[in-house]
């Protein structure tokens, strides 16, 4: 079991139950979109973020990113980290059918996926050395042709698809996700992959 300094923010109780068997850390539920109209829950999250930091661990679907973006605006950037799970098609066992986007949520992915996502997020894992990663900047994205070029949008889509990240991420959200997952050197290596570097006409 991983012991994490930051409090973990999840969408619902099944996510909390799943993570509680893998991670030793406070786990706070947003109640889905309910957090938008719950000033007391917002105040609690801000208070916890100021005390120990928070790790946002929402689903990889559109709703999860709406909640993630809301928390981004509610908590100072220095107090928030993001944990991303890949987009994996499937259905949770307790549900009669797939979600609207057909993707597994936090409760549905394997323990290994969750542990890897936490380790890559930059979370402070007690008892493990903190592997510092070189920050990827917007200038780096430009130099790789991911912004500012004729084929930049196609390259971003190809990169996100290759990394099993949501293809609808904005440039800023993609930059955040990349910094959670990879070093600048690792991104440089990936950009040398033929499917990314090859210009599409």
């Amino acid at each position: 079991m991983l012991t994490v300094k930051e409090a973990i923010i999840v969408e619902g109780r099944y996510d909390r139950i799943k993570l509680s068997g893998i991670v030793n850390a406070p786990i706070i539920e947003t109640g889905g979109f309910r957090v938008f109209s719950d000033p007391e829950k917002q105040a609690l999250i801000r208070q916890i973020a100021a005390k120990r930091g928070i790790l946002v661990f929402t689903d990889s679907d559109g709703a999860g990113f709406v909640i993630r973006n809301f928390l981004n605006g509610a908590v100072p950037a220095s107090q928030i980290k993001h944990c991303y799970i890949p987009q994996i098609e499937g259905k949770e066992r307790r549900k009669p059918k797939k979600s609207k986007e057909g993707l597994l949520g936090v409760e549905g992915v394997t323990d290994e996926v969750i542990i890897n996502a936490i380790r890559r997020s930059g979370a402070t894992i007690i008892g493990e050395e903190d592997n510092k990663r070189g920050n990827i900047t917007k200038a780096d994205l430009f130099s790789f042709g991911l912004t500012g070029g004729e084929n930049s949008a196609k390259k971003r889509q190809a990169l996100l698809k290759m990394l099993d990240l949501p293809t609808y991420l904005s440039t800023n959200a993609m930059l955040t996700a990349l910094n959670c997952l990879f070093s600048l050197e690792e991104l440089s290596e990936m950009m040398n992959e033929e499917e990314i570097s090859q210009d599409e006409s």
Side-chain angles (χ1 to χ4, degrees):
M1 180 173 284
L2 298 180
T3 299
V4 176
K5 175 189 174 185
E6 292 83 8
I8 301 177
I9 309 299
V10 298
E11 294 180 47
R13 71 186 183 100
Y14 290 102
D15 298 331
R16 176 178 54 77
I17 292 168
K18 173 75 172 184
L19 287 177
S20 64
I22 304 170
V23 185
N24 179 20
I27 302 174
I28 310 298
E29 301 171 29
T30 68
F33 291 158
R34 195 175 307 160
V35 70
F36 299 168
S37 57
D38 188 342
E40 292 183 352
K41 178 62 67 71
Q42 294 171 30
L44 173 63
I45 290 173
R46 280 194 290 267
Q47 184 178 6
I48 292 172
K51 181 74 173 180
R52 61 189 300 159
I54 60 171
L55 179 65
V56 179
F57 206 152
T58 57
D59 293 347
S60 60
D61 60 6
F65 276 83
V66 170
I67 295 169
R68 190 183 293 276
N69 288 335
F70 175 82
L71 294 173
N72 251 344
V75 175
S78 62
Q79 299 170 5
I80 187 170
K81 295 176 181 177
H82 291 274
C83 195
Y84 294 89
I85 58 171
Q87 289 186 311
I88 301 173
E89 292 187 3
K91 179 186 77 68
E92 280 83 12
R93 280 182 291 180
R94 70 179 180 86
K95 296 180 179 178
K97 60 181 180 179
K98 290 183 178 181
S99 66
K100 183 178 179 181
E101 296 180 37
L103 302 173
L104 289 175
V106 172
E107 67 168 286
V109 298
T110 65
D111 292 3
E112 182 182 9
V113 167
I114 288 174
I115 290 169
N116 287 339
I118 291 173
R119 284 208 163 102
R120 290 171 175 170
S121 71
T124 307
I125 301 174
I126 307 300
E128 295 187 8
E129 291 184 3
D130 184 20
N131 295 319
K132 299 290 185 181
R133 296 174 178 269
N135 278 344
I136 301 165
T137 66
K138 286 187 176 180
D140 295 321
L141 297 185
F142 179 81
S143 69
F144 291 134
L146 293 167
T147 60
E150 185 177 345
N151 292 322
S152 293
K154 290 181 180 178
K155 286 187 176 182
R156 289 197 301 274
Q157 293 278 309
L159 177 63
L160 290 168
K161 185 176 180 181
M162 186 181 80
L163 299 178
D164 289 324
L165 290 171
T167 53
Y168 50 74
L169 286 182
S170 67
T171 302
N172 286 337
M174 182 184 74
L175 182 62
T176 299
L178 290 174
N179 271 311
C180 286
L181 297 170
F182 307 104
S183 67
L184 177 58
E185 291 75 18
E186 289 168 333
L187 177 61
S188 181
E189 289 178 9
M190 286 187 290
M191 293 309 301
N192 288 327
E193 294 286 336
E194 184 177 354
E195 64 181 294
I196 302 299
S197 61
Q198 183 178 6
D199 288 336
E200 299 183 37
S201 57

